[in-house]
Amino acid sequence: MLTVNDSGQLVSPNGQTPQAPPLNPALSSLLKELSESEGGLLDRRMFFDPEIYKVELERVFARSWSFLCHESQLAKAGDFFSTYIGADPVVVTRQRDGSISAVLNSCRHRGMKVCRADWGNAKAFTCTYHGWSYSTDGSLVSVPREEYAYYNEIDKSKLGLLRVPQVQSYKGLVFGCFDPEAPSLVDFLGDMTYYLDILLDRVDGGTEVISGVHKWKMRGNWKLAAEQFSGDNYHTISSHISVLLSEFPPEAADAFVNIDGLEINPAEGHGIGVMYSPTGAPFSAGSSEAILRWRDETRQESINRLGKERVEGMSWTHANVFPNFSYLHDSSVLRVWMPKSPTEMEAWSWCIVDKKAPQEVKNAWRTQAIRHFSPGGTWEQDDGENWSYCSGAGGQEGVVTRLSKLHVEMGVGHERSHPTLPGKVSHTYSEQNQRSLYRRWAEFMAAESWKDISVPVRTTEVIDRSDMAKAGES
Ligand code: FES
Ligand SMILES: [Fe+2]
């Protein structure tokens, strides 16, 4: 387990890789079954069992890289954003030297949240309970009435806020990881960066997010949402049929049903799905005139940066970066599925836009994201209702209901490599990405430490851009 050292900071004990507490035998055998099979049958306990949830927080979220925020939310020194890694509250802050750091948002005195704002700018975080005050890098700088209350004997240097040991960015997206032994963010992402670039690296200047984050609670285990974004195009033709018929012209609705697409698994755990037409025009239904015009104006620039296949051949992207960071490219939405209990999650949603796009285009993206994928969005409500009914007593927990396993076998054995794209690919109606996500989950759950967790083999290069944030910032 991670521990707090004499200097009051998170470390691996004795400099060794952090160890997780042992698993109970029933959970061990469930994980063994999952990791040894193709992952095609799922034990329903994964979606409601409190013991599994507890281990998940320790073994998945406390070890994995988690999305924290976009760099544009931290434009100036002192800008901060409050979020979570798993169940742990963290606050991410731009430091005076330009670096980004993250600390646990929990006072070392009695555990009060030292930052209660969702975001803002601060010179220090002062706890409202007894007034201990921390600098934005987490150092404890002042304790009220120190001479009378503590006889000047308190060692403030050991009572700073715990720091998230690893904070790194990939082209504007800031991630944090509690495990000092975890590989770098870029290594963790593997070839997922090849596909993330379609969203992040399309035009000079990169991206920014529109101010404000939608947050809402839903019944449902977080994995239900993550797996859907990683590879579930199949649900579109039933769950979203009313949106397709009411909002899209008939030929576009028809194209969705008879979709020509790919599910791509660039590295174990990460998944992306696209409409795929490398020689044709990208699928553009549902986008406003302003957005389509912007795409046309910047098409050649994007092709110069990414090549024709990624710019013109791939559209209507849905994706998930393991464990719980999702995005939809054409809808300009970034997502985190925050675990809140075994059967509850909180969705956090950002709208991401090309930084150099005109205001009119940014407004169009914002409106589109709200219309489609916000708490009141036409597509969003269909999904939330499904996850809610898949959870709780209605979906999994009944004493007899739980005896049968869930079926995730669509397209087993039909995964293949692709002549031009990195990763394994399947037809759009496939559950290859879901199986990969659950195998990765089982790998993290069963592993004693990062020594037992595989690091993706990269086959593509990371293209560094001087006009964007560098990967590997700590
Ligand atoms: S809980 Fe923060 S100062 Fe007491
Ligand atoms: Fe959906």
Side-chain angles (χ1 to χ4, degrees):
M1 273 297 282
L2 287 169
T3 187
V4 177
N5 69 6
D6 289 346
S7 306
Q9 284 305 322
L10 280 176
V11 286
S12 320
N14 310 319
Q16 290 167 3
T17 307
Q19 300 288 315
L23 296 177
N24 74 40
L27 183 52
S28 289
S29 74
L30 184 157
L31 295 171
K32 192 162 181 300
E33 214 175 283
L34 254 179
S35 49
E36 285 177 359
S37 75
E38 267 294 285
L41 292 174
L42 299 180
D43 192 306
R44 292 177 188 241
R45 282 176 294 167
M46 291 165 56
F47 301 98
F48 67 82
D49 186 313
E51 174 67 18
I52 291 180
Y53 178 73
K54 183 174 152 279
V55 176
E56 201 167 71
L57 294 178
E58 290 166 354
R59 293 190 168 217
V60 176
F61 288 100
R63 286 173 173 169
S64 190
W65 283 94
S66 292
F67 176 71
L68 302 177
C69 66
H70 192 283
E71 286 196 353
S72 58
Q73 294 178 275
L74 309 173
K76 303 186 300 296
D79 283 356
F80 66 84
F81 181 71
S82 300
T83 183
Y84 292 84
I85 298 178
D88 291 294
V90 298
V91 56
V92 200
T93 313
R94 177 77 70 178
Q95 301 300 315
R96 271 200 286 273
D97 65 2
S99 66
I100 295 172
S101 67
V103 291
L104 271 158
N105 190 1
S106 178
C107 183
R108 295 292 296 276
H109 185 223
R110 285 294 188 286
M112 174 70 183
K113 267 192 163 183
V114 296
C115 174
R116 295 196 296 167
D118 291 341
W119 66 79
N121 185 280
K123 290 199 167 39
F125 298 118
T126 301
C127 181
T128 52
Y129 198 170
H130 308 93
W132 286 21
S133 190
Y134 302 86
S135 66
T136 55
D137 71 358
S139 311
L140 178 60
V141 288
S142 97
V143 171
R145 310 298 288 168
E146 192 175 337
E147 63 280 35
Y148 300 109
Y150 293 99
Y151 302 93
N152 285 328
E153 289 164 5
I154 189 169
D155 187 350
K156 297 200 289 295
S157 71
K158 294 183 174 171
L159 289 166
L161 299 172
L162 296 184
R163 296 199 176 110
V164 179
Q166 301 206 68
V167 176
Q168 296 176 11
S169 300
Y170 184 74
K171 297 187 181 178
L173 306 184
V174 183
F175 290 74
C177 178
F178 281 129
D179 195 331
E181 306 297 326
S184 72
L185 173 63
V186 163
D187 285 347
F188 173 82
L189 293 170
D191 282 337
M192 189 68 197
T193 56
Y194 184 81
Y195 300 101
L196 276 165
D197 285 356
I198 305 174
L199 173 73
L200 303 172
D201 200 1
R202 206 175 180 97
V203 291
D204 178 48
T207 57
E208 64 183 11
V209 291
I210 288 175
S211 181
V213 182
H214 277 134
K215 301 174 184 176
W216 65 98
K217 266 205 165 112
M218 280 180 286
R219 203 166 71 161
N221 182 279
W222 67 272
K223 294 190 285 301
L224 291 167
E227 70 134 274
Q228 193 206 84
F229 275 63
S230 95
D232 191 340
N233 234 344
Y234 189 51
H235 79 289
T236 309
I237 54 176
S238 338
S239 290
H240 299 305
I241 195 71
S242 56
V243 193
L244 291 177
L245 293 175
S246 59
E247 195 178 333
F248 285 47
E251 62 280 7
D254 191 54
F256 254 110
V257 175
N258 300 302
I259 203 164
D260 201 5
L262 293 176
E263 295 302 319
I264 307 164
N265 179 208
E268 192 76 318
H270 309 317
I272 174 168
V274 294
M275 291 258 199
Y276 185 65
S277 58
T279 52
F283 185 83
S284 57
S287 294
S288 72
E289 281 301 311
I291 296 171
L292 295 177
R293 221 173 28 248
W294 173 248
R295 290 261 194 256
D296 278 344
E297 283 167 23
T298 54
R299 189 169 313 281
Q300 194 52 52
E301 180 188 353
S302 300
I303 291 172
N304 295 345
R305 292 166 82 92
L306 300 171
K308 208 168 163 55
E309 183 178 40
R310 279 187 287 176
V311 175
E312 299 207 310
M314 303 171 93
S315 51
W316 268 85
T317 301
H318 56 86
N320 187 67
V321 173
F322 183 86
N324 63 338
F325 171 59
S326 296
Y327 63 92
L328 299 168
H329 184 190
D330 289 75
S331 297
S332 310
V333 162
L334 304 180
R335 264 313 143 75
V336 175
W337 312 106
M338 301 279 183
K340 289 296 166 190
S341 83
T343 55
E344 288 168 302
M345 65 179 133
E346 203 167 287
W348 286 32
S349 188
W350 293 251
C351 177
I352 185 167
V353 297
D354 293 339
K355 192 172 182 176
K356 74 171 185 178
Q359 194 57 44
E360 178 204 10
V361 175
K362 293 179 182 175
N363 291 346
W365 265 316
R366 178 174 170 274
T367 306
Q368 180 174 296
I370 291 171
R371 269 199 203 133
H372 290 166
F373 286 97
S374 69
T378 45
W379 296 67
E380 189 75 54
Q381 295 177 73
D382 299 333
D383 293 322
E385 188 172 26
N386 289 330
W387 300 328
S388 178
Y389 279 98
C390 288
S391 300
Q396 320 287 5
E397 291 187 42
V399 292
V400 178
T401 309
R402 70 177 74 164
L403 295 177
S404 68
K405 294 192 173 177
L406 302 178
H407 188 271
V408 194
E409 294 189 336
M410 192 189 305
V412 165
H414 295 274
E415 299 93 343
R416 60 188 195 280
S417 58
H418 189 275
T420 51
L421 299 172
K424 273 185 305 185
V425 302
S426 283
H427 184 270
T428 198
Y429 296 140
S430 159
E431 286 166 341
Q432 102 174 348
N433 291 357
Q434 291 94 320
R435 289 191 289 280
S436 172
L437 187 150
Y438 289 119
R439 281 195 305 269
R440 188 67 163 164
W441 177 86
E443 186 185 14
F444 269 75
M445 292 286 278
E448 292 302 317
S449 72
W450 257 102
K451 279 200 311 282
D452 308 322
I453 301 174
S454 59
V455 179
V457 176
R458 172 176 288 284
T459 65
T460 56
E461 275 178 44
V462 173
I463 299 172
D464 201 359
R465 304 276 187 199
S466 55
D467 56 315
M468 279 182 218
K470 298 263 188 302
E473 175 194 359
S474 263

